[in-house]
Amino acid sequence: NRTTDMEGFIAPSQNDMDLKITTNNTNAEFLNGFLSSIFRNINGKTNGVIHIIGPLNDVNLVGDICADVDMTLRATNVKYHINPDDTIRLRPYQFVFNDIQLTDNLGNSGTVNGTLAHKNMKNFKYDFVINTQNLTIYDEHEFNSDKFYATVYADATLEIHGSAGHPLRMTADVTPTRGSVFAYDAATPDAINSGNFVVFHDVTPQESPKKYLLFNEEDDEEVIVYDQKDQLNDGKNGSSKKDFFYIFDK
């Protein structure tokens, strides 16, 4: 059964409110209204007690909830499920995540710590540290404005920082795991002009990294390379478990 109990008051003339909401398997889609700038397609159910407190021009959510929900992180296009036994703490101006377990569509897991900060439930800013075990950390299937797409599974420690309407910033110590794929499109003129070189280097290089020219304007011969796979050392142990595809001519 799904029930939602509410008690309290809203006083516009006094610019104040205090609502106590008790959720019992309550539909979590209401979170889309608050978090749509960071996540999309939030669905599932929540359990716990939330206080919505004023003033009306500076609203806060305070309480503890367990969220049995799926949500997609817009910046990486990855869908995650939150462990329903973990508690997300709602505190003034921030949601606090302490050792919250995430799973991806394949059942691989990771834990997240950090905060999702806000001002009057707007202008969200996130600072997360995610530790993963073969978790999906990026999942795009079409070429984006940077002319690449990728699906990346990884054992990793990720520091993710960002805010609504601004680019994601990530610091990562990553070991990509089997099945990860990165594809780079060098066939279009703008990709050629902006991405002249791909640089490969060993984790402990003995000499300057080698640069591989992707396009030579003086070469009249048409170059066609399909599904060319190269191995790239990762930042931890030099293992090569991911495929790189370069498209030079379509």
Side-chain angles (χ1 to χ4, degrees):
N1 294 331
R2 293 188 175 188
T3 60
T4 304
D5 297 325
M6 182 182 300
E7 58 181 295
F9 69 89
I10 301 175
S13 62
Q14 300 176 33
N15 189 35
D16 199 10
M17 69 181 299
D18 188 348
L19 295 176
K20 177 184 177 182
I21 301 175
T22 303
T23 66
N24 179 31
N25 294 327
T26 297
N27 193 321
E29 290 186 5
F30 74 94
L31 294 173
N32 286 288
F34 298 113
L35 305 178
S36 60
S37 61
I38 306 298
F39 301 99
R40 59 181 173 84
N41 298 335
I42 302 173
N43 62 82
K45 56 189 178 183
T46 64
N47 291 279
V49 178
I50 304 170
H51 289 267
I52 305 178
I53 58 177
L56 296 178
N57 60 351
D58 193 15
V59 174
N60 265 294
L61 272 63
V62 179
D64 295 328
I65 63 169
C66 295
D68 184 6
V69 302
D70 296 314
M71 58 178 62
T72 300
L73 182 61
R74 288 186 179 274
T76 61
N77 199 43
V78 179
K79 181 180 178 180
Y80 294 117
H81 180 77
I82 296 180
N83 185 348
D85 296 326
D86 293 339
T87 300
I88 300 173
R89 293 171 171 81
L90 312 184
R91 299 295 182 260
Y93 304 110
Q94 62 181 350
F95 302 165
V96 181
F97 296 74
N98 288 330
D99 292 328
I100 303 298
Q101 183 175 326
L102 303 176
T103 54
D104 61 18
N105 286 336
L106 300 176
N108 302 317
S109 64
T111 58
V112 58
N113 289 274
T115 60
L116 180 62
H118 66 90
K119 180 64 175 177
N120 194 25
M121 297 304 297
K122 296 184 292 186
N123 303 319
F124 281 92
K125 176 183 178 182
Y126 51 93
D127 295 281
F128 294 133
V129 176
I130 303 175
N131 292 286
T132 76
Q133 296 179 341
N134 199 34
L135 190 73
T136 310
I137 63 172
Y138 194 87
D139 192 28
E140 286 284 358
H141 299 275
E142 297 181 357
F143 287 115
N144 58 22
S145 59
D146 294 322
K147 303 302 179 184
F148 75 90
Y149 69 81
T151 296
V152 181
Y153 313 105
D155 297 335
T157 297
L158 309 173
E159 295 183 17
I160 300 177
H161 312 279
S163 57
H166 295 85
L168 168 79
R169 293 182 294 111
M170 180 186 296
T171 301
D173 186 0
V174 178
T175 301
T177 53
R178 190 169 305 279
S180 297
V181 175
F182 180 94
Y184 178 74
D185 179 9
T188 57
D190 57 337
I192 293 170
N193 292 333
S194 62
N196 293 325
F197 296 93
V198 173
V199 180
F200 298 88
H201 62 87
D202 188 85
V203 65
T204 55
Q206 302 301 316
E207 57 184 16
S208 299
K210 295 180 180 180
K211 295 183 177 180
Y212 296 86
L213 187 63
L214 298 184
F215 181 77
N216 187 347
E217 294 180 348
E218 298 178 357
D219 190 352
D220 294 330
E221 181 179 356
E222 183 179 33
V223 178
I224 304 176
V225 180
Y226 295 105
D227 291 351
Q228 178 64 44
K229 298 184 180 180
D230 291 287
Q231 294 183 331
L232 177 65
N233 288 335
D234 58 55
K236 269 191 173 180
N237 56 18
S239 62
S240 299
K241 299 179 181 178
K242 54 274 177 196
D243 292 334
F244 280 68
F245 299 89
Y246 305 102
I247 300 175
F248 286 84
D249 190 31
K250 295 180 178 178

